[in-house]
Amino acid sequence: MFKDFFKYYKSKEPPPDFGAVIDFKKPDYSKVRNILPDVNEDEGVAQGLKPIKEWKIYGIISKPGLIFIENPFTTLGQQYWITRCVRDYSSKPNKTNLDLHNLFTKHENWWDECSNSAERARTLLPKLRWATLGYHHNWDTKEYSENAKDSMPEDMMKLTRCLAKVASFHDFKAESAIVNYYRMNSTLSGHTDHSEVDCEAPLFSVSFGQTAIFLIGGLLREDPADAIFIRSGDIVIMSKSSRLRYHGVPRILAADSTPWESESSKDITQMKEKFSDWDRIKSYICESRVNMNVRQVLRPGQTSLDNNSP
Ligand code: SIN
């Protein structure tokens, strides 16, 4: 049962044995297989990605439609997307879990407030849990609405369009996203993502920072689950018969590598010029994980939730 696997990997005492966790850095070909990209040319490749011919793409044999792309980002790409998640996607017009608490005036936002005072940062940094973008996911009704919608960031749309093409989904359109923010003791319990009108369209899950144990189960809570290591830059695509599987994050582990760290001084200079607060963002990501969970809400050709055609 999903919850037994969740409890097992969450446990601190006794600690779990991670031996059965699927590790795409050491692929076990009795469980996983290679997938070839559907496009090879880099035309239209989104911000911060390596050339497609260098990507390693896998499927899990027992979970058709579940696609794993091992970190296809350059170092600068990692820095770019981490900065977007931490500094930008946590700001207005996006909604966050902090909105209900009236912590900021109209002109303040979480990241600026954390940057302004070390004292404020200590209490505020761990409090951010999620931000919603585009069609805002309503956590109570689990429904989207035309009355709770903002525009999606162009770069996120372009990134997922590119990932979709590589994975043979040629008409994907990013219309909603949840950015999840995890500290080292955070978890995300088992759930399915079924609020979208179009549950045929794939869901893209792009993670940065510390490592997660990601659990992917079946269509029912009673089904068993596989555990996967997800490291910084790794991408999970849930599609076809895996689109509605139970999934969750029972544990965050300290990263075994830091692919967001530049070694070349040229990169460091370029990054400092582009993002003046990279040093602070780097300290945040050294004890956090961020996950962009991007969905299509409408059916292809449908223009609004109020209009059910075609
Ligand atoms: C989610 O399912 O919403 C997030 C999964 C993750 O953080 O990897």
Side-chain angles (χ1 to χ4, degrees):
M1 248 176 136
F2 192 92
K3 79 169 179 348
D4 299 321
F5 286 82
F6 196 93
K7 220 169 126 189
Y8 178 77
Y9 283 108
K10 188 180 170 192
S11 167
K12 295 269 151 71
E13 211 44 72
D17 176 355
F18 294 111
V21 180
I22 296 175
D23 186 349
F24 287 98
K25 270 196 176 165
K26 298 177 247 159
D28 168 356
Y29 286 102
S30 68
K31 289 189 182 158
V32 309
R33 64 184 183 94
N34 292 111
I35 294 180
L36 289 175
D38 199 32
V39 285
N40 277 305
E41 84 283 2
D42 287 316
E43 193 198 320
V45 145
Q47 184 93 32
L49 291 166
K50 294 178 190 158
I52 294 171
K53 63 177 183 322
E54 291 175 23
W55 296 19
K56 290 186 183 151
I57 311 176
Y58 302 93
I60 298 180
I61 294 163
S62 64
K63 308 249 175 320
L66 197 285
I67 300 168
F68 183 94
I69 307 178
E70 190 186 341
N71 176 25
F73 294 94
T74 61
T75 305
L76 277 178
Q78 292 247 351
Q79 297 175 347
Y80 175 84
W81 289 104
I82 292 169
T83 303
R84 292 291 280 154
C85 289
V86 175
R87 186 191 66 185
D88 303 333
Y89 298 154
S90 59
S91 306
K92 292 270 171 276
N94 305 330
K95 295 181 192 280
T96 76
N97 62 303
L98 302 178
D99 293 349
L100 288 176
H101 302 284
N102 289 323
L103 294 167
F104 312 118
T105 65
K106 225 168 70 193
H107 305 289
E108 290 174 345
N109 67 59
W110 171 78
W111 183 248
D112 287 346
E113 286 308 295
C114 289
S115 308
N116 284 345
S117 129
E119 181 58 33
R120 198 112 204 261
R122 243 189 308 283
T123 53
L124 271 183
L125 273 179
K127 287 206 163 90
L128 183 69
R129 243 349 232 113
W130 53 260
T132 55
L133 290 68
Y135 276 110
H136 296 286
H137 184 256
N138 181 321
W139 300 89
D140 300 322
T141 63
K142 309 249 183 291
E143 280 179 3
Y144 296 106
S145 152
E146 287 299 327
N147 299 327
K149 177 186 168 186
D150 284 294
S151 55
M152 283 289 285
E154 275 299 322
D155 53 0
M156 191 188 272
M157 292 182 77
K158 187 170 178 206
L159 172 69
T160 46
R161 198 160 49 233
C162 166
L163 298 174
K165 279 197 184 144
V166 172
S168 312
F169 301 103
H170 289 275
D171 53 6
F172 177 81
K173 185 164 178 234
E175 292 167 328
S176 173
I178 300 175
V179 182
N180 294 294
Y181 300 85
Y182 297 86
R183 303 292 280 178
M184 299 311 287
N185 57 358
S186 307
T187 60
L188 180 72
S189 49
H191 63 280
T192 59
D193 294 303
H194 54 258
S195 305
E196 297 68 34
V197 180
D198 189 349
C199 286
E200 301 284 304
L203 180 153
F204 293 85
S205 179
V206 186
S207 303
F208 295 101
Q210 304 305 302
T211 300
I213 297 288
F214 177 76
L215 281 184
I216 179 85
L219 300 179
L220 304 173
R221 280 194 189 280
E222 291 67 38
D223 294 332
D226 281 312
I228 307 173
F229 285 116
I230 297 190
R231 298 184 175 87
S232 193
D234 290 345
I235 296 168
V236 174
I237 306 175
M238 295 175 69
S239 75
K240 300 184 180 157
S241 62
S242 284
R243 172 64 178 78
L244 293 172
R245 286 182 187 275
Y246 274 89
H247 58 282
V249 177
R251 193 165 189 133
I252 305 296
L253 300 167
D256 54 9
S257 63
T258 52
W260 56 86
E261 295 265 21
S262 289
E263 268 146 40
S264 102
S265 55
K266 186 170 144 255
D267 277 3
I268 295 173
T269 318
Q270 217 180 322
M271 191 60 199
K272 289 225 154 109
E273 276 165 13
K274 264 191 173 155
F275 300 121
S276 54
D277 43 2
W278 170 245
D279 286 341
R280 271 196 307 273
I281 292 170
K282 191 169 84 175
S283 334
Y284 176 80
I285 209 65
C286 285
E287 42 185 31
S288 310
R289 170 177 186 260
V290 291
N291 167 264
M292 303 192 278
N293 216 271
V294 186
R295 303 106 193 266
Q296 176 172 320
V297 172
L298 305 174
R299 277 192 287 271
Q302 188 181 355
T303 51
S304 109
L305 285 165
D306 305 329
N307 163 5
N308 237 348
S309 55

